[in-house]
Structure formats: C-alpha cells, structure tokens
Amino acid sequence: MFRALPALSSSFTRSFWSHVPMGPPDPIIGVTEAFNRDTNPNKMNVGVGAYRDDSGKPYVLPSVRAAEEKLLSQNLNHEYLPTHGCPRFRQAAKILAFGEDSVAIKDNLIASAQSISGTGGLRIGGMFLNKFHSSKLLYLPSPSWGNHTPIFRDSGLEIKSFSYYKKDTKSLDFENMIKDIGQMEEGATILLHACAHNPTGVDPTAEQWDEISQAIKKRNLLVFIDMAYQGFASGSVEKDAYAVRKFIDDGHRFLLSQSFAKNMGVYGQRCGAISVVAENAEAAAAIESQLKIIIRPLYSSPALNAARLVTAVLEDEELHKQWLIDVKGMADRIISMREALKAGLAREGSVHNWDHLTNQIGMFCFTGMNPEQVERLISEFSIYLTKDGRISVAGVSSKNVDYLAHAMHQVTK
C-alpha cells in the first residue's frame, strides 16, 4: 500500500519563503499575454522579437529543415559536448563573424566557447570581465536591449550609459556619442551592437564606424560587440559584419557575442558563441581555459543539437548557399514591410515625417510614438507593442500592414 505523505503545516512552509516578493512582470511577456486574451479578429502582436512569415506563422528556414533531415538520417548519438562546445561549430561561427581570411583566425588569436544563445554569451563575457578585467565599468548605449543591464549587473559590473539615439530626428546621435566616448573612464568596457540595433533599428554608417573605432582606441577602451542579427539586418552576412572586421583591422582586442536565433530561426535551440580576441595565441589559449572554468559550474556543457544544426548549415556548401538565400529573404520581407507601412501612412494622409521607418534597419523599429499613443493602439485597435513605441516589423504582413498604418495615423494625427 502507498502511504500518503504528511501535509506540511502552513507555519512551516511560510518560514523559509514568506519574505520573497513577487517579481515584476516581463514587459514583452505581458504584451503577449494581453494579446492572447484579446478576442478582436484584427488584433496584432508587434511586440515579440521572433520572425514570422507573411501569414504570421513561425518560419523554419528551408536550409535548417534540410539540415535537420540530414542529421536525422545519420543516426547520431546524444553524448555530451565538451564544456566549451563543439569544435567544428566554434570554428564555423568564427569564420562567419571574422571572415574566411581573418588574420585573427589564422594566427589563433581568438578564444571561443559555444554558449546558450547570445544571452549566454553575454553573461559568460560579463563574468569573464568581472573576473579578469581591471575595470568593472561597462558603458551601454542609451537605449539598449532591455536584458543587457541585468545580464551585466548580475555579472558584477557597474553600468553606465552613453548617447546613442536622438529622439527628435529618430536617428543616431553621432556627435554626442563620440563626445561621450571621449569622456569615458580609460580602460572601461563599451558595448556596441554590430548591426540592427535593438531596440531602435538605428545603425552607424561604415564611415561612422571608422570614426567610432578611432575614438575608442584613443580612449583605450575595451570593446564588447553584441552581434545577434548577422545577415538578418541588411540581408548580407558580410555587410552586417563590417564593425567586427573593421575593429580587427584597427587592432582592437575585443569580446564578441553571437546569436543564431534570428538569422537561422533556431530560437528554441539556444545556439550562440562567445569569442575573445587576444594579443597572441598563448593568451588566447589561457583565456579559453578560463571560459571553460566559468561555464563548468553554470551548465557543464552546451546544447548538442543546436551546434549540429548550425554547423551543418555553415559547413555544407549547398546548405550554406540556401541559408544565404533564406536569410536574405527574411531581411527583404522586413524591409518591404517597412516600405509598405510608410506608404500606407502617406495614403492615410499623415503629415508626419516617417522616413525613419525605412532609414532604420532590422527586426525592430522605434516609431516615435509615445506611451499615450501606444495605449490607444492597444485599447482602440488591439495592436500590441511595448510602451516605448518599438514595433517588431516581423509581426507585420501584407495582410495587416494597412490596418497598422490606419491605426498609427489615427493615434498620431
């Protein structure tokens, strides 16, 4: 016979955890929950950062689907990966970011580890900085991805910000950015988005990147690049890697976090990488040993299937060619939705300047709408987005773009 477990007394269960406060809700998850409760057939969710096809459905890239089928036919095992991940994946990720002919790769200057997507790479990098970098100060662009602050704060770093976005022109605040870089504490770390800046969609030009690089060198800052959208921004993996390769050419020794969630659509696979560019091969080997030591007590080893999928796509010549077509197709659809939204607002009779819709790049767009206008979009039109006016253009389709344009015009006229 089974014996019933004794019930725990209420006084006992309260004694350990009664002081734990309820945490604040995640704003993105809150948007989705409200969207799911809404019964309006015209409702739209433009808050979530995941790509959707023109039917509003999750999209599995043909190259990734083919890689899945190829791997399944090989009857592979499920053994642990090494602590710092699959060697072939790490090499393929480095080549994608730094380039086939990168001197840093050829001279073995890059320490790397597979990570739990880009978030994991940033956290490993933050912990490495806290453990080994002389400065514990990190500067973030204002604004930046909402998760950057808790990732680095909880890694033990002090967070400050620098000018990045100019609200009145909805563009890069380049002059003040350069000014702020020149006033940063020497030796501190500066985080930069390689492309498709989240949440603004505002990126520096190549010429501006050149000037940013020199300003950072002059101030003797350590660079940490977050590259979550390579290929997904412009449609070209080479163009989107400009900043990474320029900083190598200019002699920077920096950290790089990569994510394959967006550009391969493998969101739930959690596949990324952290790289640290060192002065020489001996230093790179030492750094890599320390990355493994950081990872071991966190999660022991990374995801096997994630590495296999991405490696198959990047290594196989035919799959790689198909992937370049796939990622350009996603980028082109987002660009076309930006153009369609701008055109729709013009048809509605909007007198505002909406050039920023097409000047910005990538999945996200900072519309310039204020919290009151956002609230009207939600309450009157069932269009769900975050209060800062950021929309995920991936949630816009040829079927709903005119409805979005009409609603935006109504709340901004």
Short mmCIF file of all heavy atoms in Angstrom, two decimals, residues 291-353:
data_model
loop_
_atom_site.label_atom_id
_atom_site.label_comp_id
_atom_site.label_asym_id
_atom_site.label_seq_id
_atom_site.Cartn_x
_atom_site.Cartn_y
_atom_site.Cartn_z
N LEU A 291 37.37 30.48 -19.87
CA LEU A 291 35.97 30.42 -20.29
C LEU A 291 35.36 29.08 -19.90
O LEU A 291 34.21 29.01 -19.42
CB LEU A 291 35.86 30.63 -21.81
CG LEU A 291 36.25 32.00 -22.36
CD1 LEU A 291 36.11 32.02 -23.89
CD2 LEU A 291 35.40 33.12 -21.74
N LYS A 292 36.13 28.02 -20.07
CA LYS A 292 35.64 26.69 -19.67
C LYS A 292 35.41 26.61 -18.17
O LYS A 292 34.43 26.00 -17.71
CB LYS A 292 36.63 25.62 -20.12
CG LYS A 292 36.67 25.41 -21.63
CD LYS A 292 37.50 24.20 -22.04
CE LYS A 292 38.97 24.47 -21.99
NZ LYS A 292 39.76 23.33 -22.53
N ILE A 293 36.29 27.22 -17.41
CA ILE A 293 36.15 27.21 -15.94
C ILE A 293 34.90 27.98 -15.52
O ILE A 293 34.20 27.57 -14.57
CB ILE A 293 37.42 27.79 -15.29
CG1 ILE A 293 38.58 26.80 -15.46
CG2 ILE A 293 37.20 28.09 -13.80
CD1 ILE A 293 39.93 27.37 -15.07
N ILE A 294 34.57 29.05 -16.22
CA ILE A 294 33.35 29.81 -15.92
C ILE A 294 32.11 29.00 -16.27
O ILE A 294 31.12 28.97 -15.52
CB ILE A 294 33.36 31.15 -16.69
CG1 ILE A 294 34.42 32.10 -16.11
CG2 ILE A 294 31.98 31.82 -16.64
CD1 ILE A 294 34.66 33.34 -16.93
N ILE A 295 32.14 28.32 -17.41
CA ILE A 295 30.98 27.59 -17.91
C ILE A 295 30.68 26.34 -17.07
O ILE A 295 29.51 26.03 -16.81
CB ILE A 295 31.20 27.18 -19.39
CG1 ILE A 295 31.18 28.43 -20.27
CG2 ILE A 295 30.15 26.18 -19.86
CD1 ILE A 295 31.69 28.18 -21.68
N ARG A 296 31.72 25.65 -16.64
CA ARG A 296 31.54 24.34 -15.98
C ARG A 296 30.52 24.36 -14.84
O ARG A 296 29.61 23.52 -14.83
CB ARG A 296 32.91 23.84 -15.50
CG ARG A 296 32.86 22.53 -14.73
CD ARG A 296 32.36 21.38 -15.58
NE ARG A 296 32.52 20.12 -14.86
CZ ARG A 296 31.74 19.07 -15.02
NH1 ARG A 296 30.75 19.11 -15.89
NH2 ARG A 296 31.94 17.96 -14.33
N PRO A 297 30.58 25.29 -13.89
CA PRO A 297 29.57 25.26 -12.82
C PRO A 297 28.23 25.89 -13.20
O PRO A 297 27.27 25.80 -12.44
CB PRO A 297 30.24 26.07 -11.70
CG PRO A 297 31.16 27.00 -12.40
CD PRO A 297 31.66 26.26 -13.60
N LEU A 298 28.18 26.53 -14.38
CA LEU A 298 26.92 27.14 -14.82
C LEU A 298 25.98 26.11 -15.43
O LEU A 298 24.82 25.98 -15.03
CB LEU A 298 27.20 28.25 -15.83
CG LEU A 298 27.79 29.56 -15.31
CD1 LEU A 298 28.06 30.51 -16.47
CD2 LEU A 298 26.84 30.21 -14.31
N TYR A 299 26.47 25.39 -16.45
CA TYR A 299 25.62 24.41 -17.12
C TYR A 299 26.42 23.23 -17.68
O TYR A 299 25.88 22.41 -18.44
CB TYR A 299 24.79 25.06 -18.24
CG TYR A 299 25.59 25.87 -19.24
CD1 TYR A 299 26.23 25.25 -20.31
CD2 TYR A 299 25.69 27.24 -19.12
CE1 TYR A 299 26.95 25.99 -21.22
CE2 TYR A 299 26.42 27.99 -20.03
CZ TYR A 299 27.04 27.36 -21.08
OH TYR A 299 27.76 28.09 -22.00
N SER A 300 27.67 23.15 -17.32
CA SER A 300 28.54 22.00 -17.62
C SER A 300 28.92 21.89 -19.10
O SER A 300 30.08 21.89 -19.44
CB SER A 300 27.93 20.69 -17.15
OG SER A 300 28.88 19.65 -17.19
N SER A 301 27.92 21.80 -19.98
CA SER A 301 28.20 21.77 -21.41
C SER A 301 26.98 22.26 -22.17
O SER A 301 25.86 22.17 -21.68
CB SER A 301 28.59 20.36 -21.88
OG SER A 301 27.51 19.46 -21.73
N PRO A 302 27.18 22.80 -23.39
CA PRO A 302 26.07 23.43 -24.12
C PRO A 302 25.24 22.42 -24.92
O PRO A 302 25.47 21.21 -24.88
CB PRO A 302 26.79 24.40 -25.04
CG PRO A 302 28.10 23.73 -25.33
CD PRO A 302 28.47 23.00 -24.07
N ALA A 303 24.28 22.96 -25.67
CA ALA A 303 23.30 22.14 -26.38
C ALA A 303 23.92 21.48 -27.62
O ALA A 303 24.50 22.15 -28.47
CB ALA A 303 22.11 23.01 -26.79
N LEU A 304 23.74 20.18 -27.71
CA LEU A 304 24.33 19.39 -28.80
C LEU A 304 23.60 19.61 -30.12
O LEU A 304 24.22 19.87 -31.15
CB LEU A 304 24.29 17.91 -28.41
CG LEU A 304 24.71 16.89 -29.48
CD1 LEU A 304 26.16 17.09 -29.88
CD2 LEU A 304 24.49 15.46 -28.96
N ASN A 305 22.28 19.48 -30.11
CA ASN A 305 21.54 19.58 -31.36
C ASN A 305 21.67 20.96 -31.99
O ASN A 305 21.74 21.09 -33.21
CB ASN A 305 20.06 19.25 -31.15
CG ASN A 305 19.33 18.97 -32.45
OD1 ASN A 305 19.70 18.07 -33.20
ND2 ASN A 305 18.30 19.75 -32.73
N ALA A 306 21.72 21.99 -31.15
CA ALA A 306 21.89 23.35 -31.65
C ALA A 306 23.18 23.46 -32.46
O ALA A 306 23.19 24.01 -33.57
CB ALA A 306 21.90 24.32 -30.48
N ALA A 307 24.26 22.96 -31.88
CA ALA A 307 25.56 23.04 -32.57
C ALA A 307 25.54 22.24 -33.86
O ALA A 307 26.10 22.67 -34.88
CB ALA A 307 26.66 22.53 -31.64
N ARG A 308 24.93 21.06 -33.84
CA ARG A 308 24.88 20.23 -35.04
C ARG A 308 24.12 20.93 -36.17
O ARG A 308 24.55 20.91 -37.33
CB ARG A 308 24.21 18.89 -34.71
CG ARG A 308 25.12 17.91 -33.99
CD ARG A 308 24.37 16.67 -33.59
NE ARG A 308 25.27 15.63 -33.09
CZ ARG A 308 24.87 14.53 -32.45
NH1 ARG A 308 23.57 14.35 -32.24
NH2 ARG A 308 25.73 13.65 -32.04
N LEU A 309 22.99 21.54 -35.84
CA LEU A 309 22.18 22.21 -36.86
C LEU A 309 22.94 23.36 -37.51
O LEU A 309 23.05 23.44 -38.74
CB LEU A 309 20.89 22.75 -36.24
CG LEU A 309 19.72 21.80 -36.09
CD1 LEU A 309 18.59 22.48 -35.32
CD2 LEU A 309 19.22 21.33 -37.45
N VAL A 310 23.48 24.24 -36.68
CA VAL A 310 24.17 25.41 -37.21
C VAL A 310 25.42 25.01 -37.97
O VAL A 310 25.72 25.55 -39.04
CB VAL A 310 24.50 26.40 -36.07
CG1 VAL A 310 25.36 27.56 -36.59
CG2 VAL A 310 23.22 26.94 -35.45
N THR A 311 26.16 24.04 -37.44
CA THR A 311 27.38 23.58 -38.11
C THR A 311 27.06 22.98 -39.48
O THR A 311 27.76 23.24 -40.47
CB THR A 311 28.12 22.55 -37.24
OG1 THR A 311 28.39 23.12 -35.97
CG2 THR A 311 29.43 22.13 -37.90
N ALA A 312 25.98 22.19 -39.53
CA ALA A 312 25.60 21.58 -40.81
C ALA A 312 25.30 22.66 -41.85
O ALA A 312 25.72 22.55 -43.01
CB ALA A 312 24.38 20.67 -40.61
N VAL A 313 24.60 23.70 -41.44
CA VAL A 313 24.24 24.77 -42.37
C VAL A 313 25.47 25.55 -42.82
O VAL A 313 25.62 25.90 -44.00
CB VAL A 313 23.21 25.73 -41.74
CG1 VAL A 313 23.00 26.95 -42.61
CG2 VAL A 313 21.89 25.00 -41.51
N LEU A 314 26.38 25.81 -41.90
CA LEU A 314 27.55 26.63 -42.23
C LEU A 314 28.63 25.84 -42.97
O LEU A 314 29.38 26.42 -43.76
CB LEU A 314 28.14 27.24 -40.96
CG LEU A 314 27.26 28.27 -40.24
CD1 LEU A 314 27.96 28.80 -39.00
CD2 LEU A 314 26.90 29.43 -41.17
N GLU A 315 28.74 24.54 -42.72
CA GLU A 315 29.80 23.74 -43.33
C GLU A 315 29.43 23.18 -44.69
O GLU A 315 30.28 23.08 -45.59
CB GLU A 315 30.21 22.60 -42.41
CG GLU A 315 31.06 22.99 -41.24
CD GLU A 315 31.60 21.79 -40.48
OE1 GLU A 315 31.07 20.67 -40.67
OE2 GLU A 315 32.55 21.94 -39.71
N ASP A 316 28.20 22.74 -44.86
CA ASP A 316 27.76 22.12 -46.10
C ASP A 316 27.58 23.19 -47.18
O ASP A 316 26.84 24.16 -46.99
CB ASP A 316 26.44 21.37 -45.88
CG ASP A 316 25.98 20.61 -47.11
OD1 ASP A 316 25.48 21.25 -48.06
OD2 ASP A 316 26.12 19.37 -47.12
N GLU A 317 28.26 23.05 -48.30
CA GLU A 317 28.27 24.09 -49.32
C GLU A 317 26.88 24.40 -49.83
O GLU A 317 26.50 25.57 -49.98
CB GLU A 317 29.18 23.66 -50.49
CG GLU A 317 29.33 24.74 -51.55
CD GLU A 317 30.29 24.35 -52.66
OE1 GLU A 317 30.96 23.30 -52.53
OE2 GLU A 317 30.37 25.08 -53.67
N GLU A 318 26.08 23.37 -50.11
CA GLU A 318 24.74 23.59 -50.66
C GLU A 318 23.81 24.19 -49.61
O GLU A 318 23.01 25.09 -49.91
CB GLU A 318 24.16 22.27 -51.20
CG GLU A 318 24.87 21.77 -52.45
CD GLU A 318 24.89 22.81 -53.57
OE1 GLU A 318 23.82 23.42 -53.83
OE2 GLU A 318 25.95 23.03 -54.17
N LEU A 319 23.89 23.67 -48.37
CA LEU A 319 23.05 24.22 -47.30
C LEU A 319 23.43 25.66 -47.01
O LEU A 319 22.56 26.49 -46.73
CB LEU A 319 23.18 23.37 -46.04
CG LEU A 319 22.58 21.96 -46.09
CD1 LEU A 319 22.78 21.25 -44.76
CD2 LEU A 319 21.09 22.02 -46.43
N HIS A 320 24.72 25.96 -47.07
CA HIS A 320 25.17 27.33 -46.82
C HIS A 320 24.62 28.28 -47.88
O HIS A 320 24.15 29.39 -47.56
CB HIS A 320 26.70 27.38 -46.80
CG HIS A 320 27.25 28.67 -46.26
ND1 HIS A 320 27.91 28.76 -45.07
CD2 HIS A 320 27.21 29.93 -46.76
CE1 HIS A 320 28.26 30.01 -44.84
NE2 HIS A 320 27.85 30.74 -45.87
N LYS A 321 24.68 27.87 -49.13
CA LYS A 321 24.13 28.69 -50.21
C LYS A 321 22.63 28.93 -50.01
O LYS A 321 22.14 30.05 -50.19
CB LYS A 321 24.36 28.01 -51.57
CG LYS A 321 25.80 28.05 -52.06
CD LYS A 321 25.92 27.35 -53.40
CE LYS A 321 27.36 27.36 -53.91
NZ LYS A 321 27.49 26.61 -55.19
N GLN A 322 21.91 27.88 -49.62
CA GLN A 322 20.48 28.01 -49.39
C GLN A 322 20.21 28.93 -48.21
O GLN A 322 19.29 29.76 -48.24
CB GLN A 322 19.86 26.63 -49.11
CG GLN A 322 18.36 26.66 -48.83
CD GLN A 322 17.55 27.22 -49.99
OE1 GLN A 322 17.73 26.79 -51.13
NE2 GLN A 322 16.67 28.19 -49.71
N TRP A 323 21.05 28.83 -47.15
CA TRP A 323 20.86 29.68 -45.98
C TRP A 323 21.04 31.16 -46.33
O TRP A 323 20.27 32.00 -45.85
CB TRP A 323 21.83 29.28 -44.87
CG TRP A 323 21.78 30.23 -43.71
CD1 TRP A 323 20.72 30.45 -42.87
CD2 TRP A 323 22.82 31.11 -43.27
NE1 TRP A 323 21.04 31.41 -41.93
CE2 TRP A 323 22.32 31.83 -42.15
CE3 TRP A 323 24.13 31.34 -43.70
CZ2 TRP A 323 23.10 32.78 -41.48
CZ3 TRP A 323 24.89 32.29 -43.02
CH2 TRP A 323 24.38 32.99 -41.92
N LEU A 324 22.01 31.48 -47.15
CA LEU A 324 22.21 32.86 -47.56
C LEU A 324 20.98 33.40 -48.29
O LEU A 324 20.61 34.57 -48.13
CB LEU A 324 23.45 32.99 -48.44
CG LEU A 324 24.80 32.71 -47.75
CD1 LEU A 324 25.94 32.79 -48.76
CD2 LEU A 324 25.04 33.68 -46.60
N ILE A 325 20.34 32.54 -49.07
CA ILE A 325 19.09 32.91 -49.74
C ILE A 325 17.98 33.09 -48.71
O ILE A 325 17.20 34.06 -48.76
CB ILE A 325 18.69 31.84 -50.78
CG1 ILE A 325 19.72 31.79 -51.91
CG2 ILE A 325 17.29 32.11 -51.34
CD1 ILE A 325 19.55 30.62 -52.87
N ASP A 326 17.91 32.16 -47.75
CA ASP A 326 16.87 32.20 -46.72
C ASP A 326 16.96 33.47 -45.88
O ASP A 326 15.96 34.16 -45.64
CB ASP A 326 16.99 30.99 -45.78
CG ASP A 326 16.77 29.67 -46.49
OD1 ASP A 326 16.19 29.67 -47.59
OD2 ASP A 326 17.19 28.63 -45.92
N VAL A 327 18.17 33.78 -45.41
CA VAL A 327 18.32 34.92 -44.51
C VAL A 327 18.09 36.23 -45.25
O VAL A 327 17.51 37.18 -44.70
CB VAL A 327 19.70 34.89 -43.80
CG1 VAL A 327 20.83 35.26 -44.74
CG2 VAL A 327 19.71 35.80 -42.58
N LYS A 328 18.49 36.28 -46.51
CA LYS A 328 18.21 37.48 -47.31
C LYS A 328 16.71 37.62 -47.54
O LYS A 328 16.17 38.74 -47.53
CB LYS A 328 18.94 37.44 -48.65
CG LYS A 328 18.82 38.76 -49.42
CD LYS A 328 19.62 38.76 -50.71
CE LYS A 328 19.65 40.15 -51.35
NZ LYS A 328 18.31 40.71 -51.56
N GLY A 329 16.03 36.50 -47.72
CA GLY A 329 14.58 36.54 -47.90
C GLY A 329 13.87 37.11 -46.68
O GLY A 329 12.92 37.90 -46.81
N MET A 330 14.32 36.73 -45.49
CA MET A 330 13.73 37.28 -44.27
C MET A 330 14.00 38.77 -44.17
O MET A 330 13.10 39.56 -43.85
CB MET A 330 14.28 36.55 -43.04
CG MET A 330 13.82 35.11 -42.90
SD MET A 330 14.24 34.39 -41.29
CE MET A 330 16.03 34.32 -41.39
N ALA A 331 15.25 39.16 -44.41
CA ALA A 331 15.60 40.59 -44.33
C ALA A 331 14.82 41.40 -45.36
O ALA A 331 14.31 42.49 -45.05
CB ALA A 331 17.11 40.76 -44.56
N ASP A 332 14.69 40.87 -46.57
CA ASP A 332 13.98 41.59 -47.63
C ASP A 332 12.50 41.75 -47.29
O ASP A 332 11.89 42.79 -47.59
CB ASP A 332 14.13 40.87 -48.97
CG ASP A 332 15.51 41.02 -49.57
OD1 ASP A 332 16.29 41.85 -49.05
OD2 ASP A 332 15.82 40.32 -50.55
N ARG A 333 11.90 40.72 -46.65
CA ARG A 333 10.48 40.84 -46.29
C ARG A 333 10.29 41.95 -45.26
O ARG A 333 9.34 42.75 -45.34
CB ARG A 333 9.93 39.52 -45.74
CG ARG A 333 8.40 39.52 -45.68
CD ARG A 333 7.82 38.31 -44.98
NE ARG A 333 7.79 38.47 -43.53
CZ ARG A 333 6.91 39.23 -42.88
NH1 ARG A 333 6.01 39.94 -43.54
NH2 ARG A 333 6.93 39.31 -41.56
N ILE A 334 11.20 42.02 -44.30
CA ILE A 334 11.10 43.07 -43.28
C ILE A 334 11.29 44.45 -43.90
O ILE A 334 10.55 45.40 -43.59
CB ILE A 334 12.12 42.81 -42.16
CG1 ILE A 334 11.64 41.63 -41.31
CG2 ILE A 334 12.33 44.04 -41.30
CD1 ILE A 334 12.57 41.21 -40.21
N ILE A 335 12.25 44.56 -44.81
CA ILE A 335 12.46 45.84 -45.50
C ILE A 335 11.22 46.23 -46.29
O ILE A 335 10.80 47.40 -46.29
CB ILE A 335 13.70 45.76 -46.42
CG1 ILE A 335 14.98 45.64 -45.57
CG2 ILE A 335 13.78 46.96 -47.35
CD1 ILE A 335 16.22 45.28 -46.37
N SER A 336 10.60 45.27 -46.95
CA SER A 336 9.40 45.56 -47.74
C SER A 336 8.24 45.99 -46.85
O SER A 336 7.42 46.83 -47.25
CB SER A 336 9.01 44.35 -48.59
OG SER A 336 8.48 43.30 -47.79
N MET A 337 8.14 45.42 -45.65
CA MET A 337 7.08 45.82 -44.72
C MET A 337 7.31 47.24 -44.20
O MET A 337 6.36 47.98 -43.97
CB MET A 337 6.97 44.83 -43.57
CG MET A 337 6.38 43.48 -43.95
SD MET A 337 4.69 43.58 -44.63
CE MET A 337 5.01 43.50 -46.40
N ARG A 338 8.56 47.61 -44.00
CA ARG A 338 8.86 48.99 -43.62
C ARG A 338 8.38 49.95 -44.72
O ARG A 338 7.76 50.99 -44.43
CB ARG A 338 10.37 49.16 -43.41
CG ARG A 338 10.91 48.50 -42.14
CD ARG A 338 12.42 48.68 -42.06
NE ARG A 338 12.98 48.16 -40.82
CZ ARG A 338 13.02 48.80 -39.66
NH1 ARG A 338 12.53 50.04 -39.60
NH2 ARG A 338 13.54 48.27 -38.59
N GLU A 339 8.69 49.62 -45.95
CA GLU A 339 8.29 50.46 -47.08
C GLU A 339 6.77 50.52 -47.20
O GLU A 339 6.20 51.60 -47.45
CB GLU A 339 8.92 49.93 -48.36
CG GLU A 339 10.44 50.04 -48.39
CD GLU A 339 11.07 49.26 -49.53
OE1 GLU A 339 10.36 48.43 -50.14
OE2 GLU A 339 12.27 49.48 -49.80
N ALA A 340 6.11 49.38 -47.00
CA ALA A 340 4.66 49.34 -47.13
C ALA A 340 3.98 50.13 -46.01
O ALA A 340 2.95 50.80 -46.24
CB ALA A 340 4.18 47.89 -47.10
N LEU A 341 4.53 50.09 -44.82
CA LEU A 341 3.96 50.84 -43.70
C LEU A 341 4.09 52.34 -43.93
O LEU A 341 3.16 53.11 -43.70
CB LEU A 341 4.65 50.43 -42.40
CG LEU A 341 4.17 51.14 -41.12
CD1 LEU A 341 2.68 50.94 -40.92
CD2 LEU A 341 4.96 50.64 -39.91
N LYS A 342 5.26 52.75 -44.40
CA LYS A 342 5.47 54.17 -44.71
C LYS A 342 4.51 54.65 -45.80
O LYS A 342 3.89 55.72 -45.69
CB LYS A 342 6.92 54.39 -45.14
CG LYS A 342 7.27 55.83 -45.47
CD LYS A 342 8.73 55.95 -45.92
CE LYS A 342 9.05 57.35 -46.40
NZ LYS A 342 10.45 57.46 -46.87
N ALA A 343 4.36 53.82 -46.83
CA ALA A 343 3.44 54.18 -47.93
C ALA A 343 1.99 54.22 -47.43
O ALA A 343 1.21 55.09 -47.84
CB ALA A 343 3.58 53.17 -49.07
N GLY A 344 1.65 53.30 -46.55
CA GLY A 344 0.29 53.27 -46.01
C GLY A 344 -0.03 54.50 -45.19
O GLY A 344 -1.15 55.04 -45.26
N LEU A 345 0.93 54.98 -44.41
CA LEU A 345 0.73 56.20 -43.63
C LEU A 345 0.54 57.41 -44.54
O LEU A 345 -0.28 58.29 -44.26
CB LEU A 345 1.92 56.41 -42.69
CG LEU A 345 1.92 55.51 -41.45
CD1 LEU A 345 3.32 55.40 -40.85
CD2 LEU A 345 0.93 56.05 -40.41
N ALA A 346 1.27 57.42 -45.65
CA ALA A 346 1.11 58.52 -46.61
C ALA A 346 -0.29 58.48 -47.22
O ALA A 346 -0.95 59.52 -47.37
CB ALA A 346 2.17 58.41 -47.70
N ARG A 347 -0.77 57.28 -47.56
CA ARG A 347 -2.13 57.16 -48.12
C ARG A 347 -3.20 57.59 -47.12
O ARG A 347 -4.24 58.12 -47.49
CB ARG A 347 -2.39 55.72 -48.57
CG ARG A 347 -1.69 55.32 -49.86
CD ARG A 347 -2.28 54.03 -50.42
NE ARG A 347 -2.20 52.93 -49.48
CZ ARG A 347 -1.15 52.12 -49.35
NH1 ARG A 347 -0.09 52.30 -50.12
NH2 ARG A 347 -1.16 51.13 -48.48
N GLU A 348 -2.94 57.33 -45.85
CA GLU A 348 -3.88 57.73 -44.81
C GLU A 348 -3.95 59.24 -44.65
O GLU A 348 -4.87 59.77 -44.03
CB GLU A 348 -3.49 57.09 -43.48
CG GLU A 348 -3.72 55.59 -43.39
CD GLU A 348 -5.19 55.24 -43.28
OE1 GLU A 348 -5.95 56.04 -42.70
OE2 GLU A 348 -5.58 54.16 -43.76
N GLY A 349 -2.96 59.95 -45.18
CA GLY A 349 -2.93 61.40 -45.09
C GLY A 349 -2.09 61.94 -43.96
O GLY A 349 -2.21 63.12 -43.60
N SER A 350 -1.22 61.11 -43.40
CA SER A 350 -0.37 61.57 -42.31
C SER A 350 0.56 62.68 -42.79
O SER A 350 1.16 62.58 -43.85
CB SER A 350 0.46 60.41 -41.75
OG SER A 350 1.32 60.87 -40.73
N VAL A 351 0.68 63.71 -41.97
CA VAL A 351 1.56 64.83 -42.32
C VAL A 351 2.91 64.71 -41.63
O VAL A 351 3.79 65.56 -41.81
CB VAL A 351 0.91 66.18 -41.94
CG1 VAL A 351 -0.36 66.39 -42.76
CG2 VAL A 351 0.60 66.24 -40.44
N HIS A 352 3.09 63.66 -40.83
CA HIS A 352 4.36 63.48 -40.13
C HIS A 352 5.42 62.92 -41.08
O HIS A 352 5.10 62.29 -42.10
CB HIS A 352 4.19 62.51 -38.95
CG HIS A 352 3.25 63.02 -37.90
ND1 HIS A 352 3.52 64.14 -37.13
CD2 HIS A 352 2.04 62.55 -37.48
CE1 HIS A 352 2.52 64.33 -36.29
NE2 HIS A 352 1.61 63.40 -36.48
N ASN A 353 6.67 63.15 -40.74
CA ASN A 353 7.78 62.57 -41.50
C ASN A 353 8.06 61.17 -40.97
O ASN A 353 8.50 60.99 -39.83
CB ASN A 353 9.03 63.46 -41.34
CG ASN A 353 10.21 62.95 -42.16
OD1 ASN A 353 10.18 61.85 -42.71
ND2 ASN A 353 11.25 63.76 -42.26
#
